[in-house]
Amino acid sequence: MIEKTSLREGKYLYAVVSGSEELNYGVCGINEGTVYTIPTGQMAAVVSDVANGKIRPERRHLAAHQGVLRRLMEETVPLPVAFGIVADSRKAIQAILSANQQAFLDQFNRVDGKVEMGLRVTWDVPNIFEYYVQTHAELKVARDRFFGSHGAPSQEDKIELGRMFGQALNEDRETHAEKVEEVLSGHCFEIKRNKCRTEREVMTLACLVEREALPEFEEGIFEAAKLFDDNFAFDYNGPWPPHNFVDIDLKL
């Protein structure tokens, strides 16, 4: 019933929202499509018509998708759908909503009145390996031993030094994340850790925050930052739809 490709026409899905009325959000969708809702029961799908069922992840399409979600956040908390999902008809949308009605209601009730905030902490140093050598005595000893005057290090020596560096990095990430989460837990409904994508990343957190408590959450960020020296950079962003706290499974 749902395809990401090979459809000649269909309904592009942006989100699921609470409500039983048919609403029109105007021309703001992908390919300048009119965005509207298809309700069934107590939930509604936010869609626009697409002439071709395959929507490529081009910048303009991604921007339109995110723009619709931001528009929805002005009035409600959307349950965001992953980019690129197209259903083949209005009837298919209604079947999805009917089959998943209780799951959608449960998820909406969980995130109602809340938004997602992101926090990314990085090591703000010229060379992360050299920083670790200078701040971790065991690494400095190993580096000096492997790369000393006795000649070029063996491949095994390089692998062992890399292993020690990776272990120290991950142990510190765990310790630092626990410190930040302890501070932010009083300002968040829930915190989720996402995987670090680069060596310089200390942590990437998704925080589910009461919309009315955003000022207190920001104060918590500054409070947590005080626990770290100038070798760390804090960058927070949002508010966003609760992507990390919603699981929209559209399989029937």
Side-chain angles (χ1 to χ4, degrees):
M1 183 169 291
I2 298 175
E3 297 287 348
K4 288 188 178 181
T5 61
S6 72
L7 289 176
R8 301 180 64 181
E9 60 182 17
K11 309 292 184 184
Y12 182 88
L13 281 81
Y14 300 91
V16 175
V17 297
S18 176
S20 57
E21 298 181 2
E22 292 192 7
L23 301 175
N24 187 309
Y25 293 97
V27 180
C28 59
I30 286 178
N31 293 330
E32 299 184 347
T34 298
V35 177
Y36 60 97
T37 61
I38 298 177
T40 298
Q42 300 179 59
M43 305 300 293
V46 180
V47 305
S48 65
D49 298 332
V50 289
N52 187 327
K54 184 176 181 180
I55 304 298
R56 297 182 182 278
E58 301 172 5
R59 181 175 298 180
R60 62 191 178 95
H61 292 155
L62 294 167
H65 184 102
Q66 292 301 321
V68 171
L69 294 180
R70 287 194 298 270
R71 171 70 176 83
L72 295 173
M73 285 186 65
E74 296 174 4
E75 301 177 6
T76 186
V77 178
L79 305 181
V81 173
F83 177 86
I85 301 296
V86 180
D88 58 12
S89 66
R90 182 183 185 93
K91 184 177 180 181
I93 294 289
Q94 292 171 329
I96 292 168
L97 292 173
S98 178
N100 297 280
Q101 186 83 186
Q102 190 58 53
F104 290 156
L105 282 169
D106 291 344
Q107 293 197 57
F108 179 79
N109 290 333
R110 177 167 167 261
V111 300
D112 188 22
K114 304 176 182 70
V115 295
E116 180 174 319
M117 295 293 292
L119 172 63
R120 181 173 179 261
V121 181
T122 57
W123 278 287
D124 188 16
V125 295
N127 184 305
I128 184 64
F129 179 74
E130 287 301 323
Y131 169 76
Y132 258 70
V133 167
Q134 297 305 317
T135 56
H136 293 69
E138 68 280 7
L139 267 179
K140 189 175 189 306
V141 169
R143 194 276 305 270
D144 292 346
R145 182 172 74 251
F146 294 153
F147 289 79
S149 58
H150 65 279
S154 66
Q155 184 64 22
E156 290 76 14
D157 290 341
K158 293 179 181 178
I159 292 173
E160 175 60 16
L161 189 61
R163 185 199 65 78
M164 293 177 64
F165 170 58
Q167 180 177 339
L169 200 70
N170 289 328
E171 288 176 352
D172 285 353
R173 281 173 173 158
E174 180 69 24
T175 299
H176 296 329
E178 288 178 353
K179 288 167 59 176
V180 171
E181 289 173 353
E182 183 177 359
V183 175
L184 294 184
S185 61
H187 306 287
C188 299
F189 183 79
E190 188 176 342
I191 299 175
K192 179 181 178 181
R193 292 188 199 178
N194 288 320
K195 185 177 180 180
C196 293
R197 294 172 294 181
T198 68
E199 282 186 344
R200 288 181 178 274
E201 285 188 332
V202 183
M203 70 192 78
T204 303
L205 304 180
C207 305
L208 189 62
V209 184
E210 291 280 356
R211 188 185 292 269
E212 296 181 354
L214 284 176
E216 290 80 4
F217 172 78
E218 292 181 359
E219 291 176 3
I221 294 290
F222 288 101
E223 180 182 347
K226 292 178 181 178
L227 302 175
F228 297 81
D229 60 28
D230 291 341
N231 292 309
F232 295 82
F234 279 64
D235 177 26
Y236 67 98
N237 55 79
W240 311 108
H243 292 278
N244 283 282
F245 302 95
V246 169
D247 181 19
I248 298 294
D249 184 0
L250 299 180
K251 295 180 181 178
L252 296 179

